[in-house]
Amino acid sequence: MGSKIGSCQKRRKPISGLSGQTEAVNITYAQVRSCPTGNRYCQEDKMIMKNGVNALTALAVLVGLTVPAIAQERKKVPDFSYSEGVKRGDCKIAFRSTDGVTMVDFGLGIMDSVFSVEVLRNGWDIVDDKDPDTRDMPLTLTFQNGQTTSSELGGYRNGFYQGVWGLWHGKDSNPVLSQRGLESLMEATSATVSFDDEDIAEVNLGPKGFAANKLLDCAIAEREKRSQ
């Protein structure tokens, strides 16, 4: 289950013992800090996040969030399991909910930087008698630190798996909405997913920054491949 999270450079420092002591990411924007003495993974760096709506494009969303981490902290993290990959033009990381059945699937568009979430289960009656063309039911994430973020679009997914989905911005929307969703995920270690005023899943996300960094690393790598 070992993986990697963000460090002060593009190179990643391996996490050891994800179910116990872990190295977690602490992203700080618009600040300059010095890394701990002797930490060869860190160097002083200037973090600047520009959120100007007029200047923001889908590319800027992705680039703006790939700031290096400048501090690390030791945390006890609950056990969690995840899978990752690329699907339909999105980088994906999926976590199993605490109920052991439901999957919470986070996504980041490789070219359009759309932040998305799907909550899926096999044989879920949440979709019974629901219109699969619905797009106006937002999905909300509430994180362990009290932060919340809601999708601009949302609806029902019915197929081999059933569930709900949310997109943080659409084709004609401002990509800053996806940026803010991903910023919230960067600070998260767990989340509760709610839809239609009901909590439908609780999920452990690993160390702070783990899920968001996975999505960003994947999107950067995939863009580089496609630009060759």
Side-chain angles (χ1 to χ4, degrees):
M1 196 188 303
S3 188
K4 304 176 181 178
I5 59 176
S7 70
C8 289
Q9 304 177 40
K10 288 186 178 179
R11 297 180 65 83
R12 297 295 192 239
K13 183 178 179 181
I15 299 176
S16 59
L18 285 175
S19 60
Q21 296 289 333
T22 61
E23 294 287 350
V25 174
N26 181 12
I27 293 293
T28 303
Y29 300 110
Q31 295 185 22
V32 177
R33 292 185 182 178
S34 296
C35 295
T37 302
N39 188 335
R40 65 187 180 89
Y41 292 95
C42 292
Q43 61 184 3
E44 186 172 272
D45 204 345
K46 187 174 184 180
M47 305 292 101
I48 298 178
M49 173 63 70
K50 295 183 179 179
N51 291 323
V53 171
N54 292 335
L56 191 62
T57 63
L59 177 61
V61 172
L62 182 59
V63 173
L65 284 171
T66 57
V67 293
I70 55 175
Q72 296 180 339
E73 57 186 10
R74 303 293 290 185
K75 288 274 188 181
K76 281 190 174 294
V77 180
D79 289 338
F80 68 102
S81 61
Y82 72 97
S83 60
E84 59 184 319
V86 175
K87 183 179 179 181
R88 295 195 301 268
D90 289 353
C91 288
K92 296 280 193 178
I93 182 166
F95 295 86
R96 189 173 298 279
S97 173
T98 55
D99 65 11
V101 177
T102 308
M103 297 300 296
V104 181
D105 189 344
F106 297 87
L108 182 63
I110 294 167
M111 303 309 297
D112 59 17
S113 299
V114 174
F115 179 58
S116 62
V117 176
E118 290 183 299
V119 186
L120 302 171
R121 190 191 302 172
N122 190 13
W124 198 358
D125 60 5
I126 194 172
V127 302
D128 289 356
D129 301 320
K130 299 297 192 301
D131 182 359
D133 294 325
T134 298
R135 294 177 58 84
D136 60 355
M137 297 188 67
L139 183 151
T140 298
L141 300 173
T142 303
F143 300 109
Q144 85 290 341
N145 55 11
Q147 291 188 39
T148 64
T149 180
S150 297
S151 63
E152 180 185 30
L153 307 172
Y156 297 95
R157 182 83 69 216
N158 198 353
F160 187 77
Y161 291 99
Q162 295 77 43
V164 298
W165 58 271
L167 297 180
W168 263 247
H169 82 273
K171 181 175 61 175
D172 301 318
S173 307
N174 195 323
V176 74
L177 301 173
S178 283
Q179 177 184 347
R180 290 171 179 165
L182 199 56
E183 285 176 352
S184 297
L185 184 63
M186 189 69 76
E187 297 297 318
T189 60
S190 64
T192 299
V193 188
S194 55
F195 183 84
D196 196 19
D197 296 324
E198 291 188 14
D199 294 346
I200 58 174
E202 295 183 359
V203 61
N204 294 322
L205 301 172
K208 187 187 294 185
F210 179 79
N213 275 318
K214 280 286 189 180
L215 292 175
L216 289 167
D217 285 350
C218 170
I220 291 169
E222 289 297 320
R223 281 191 177 185
E224 289 178 350
K225 288 179 186 177
R226 297 178 188 205
S227 66
Q228 293 175 356

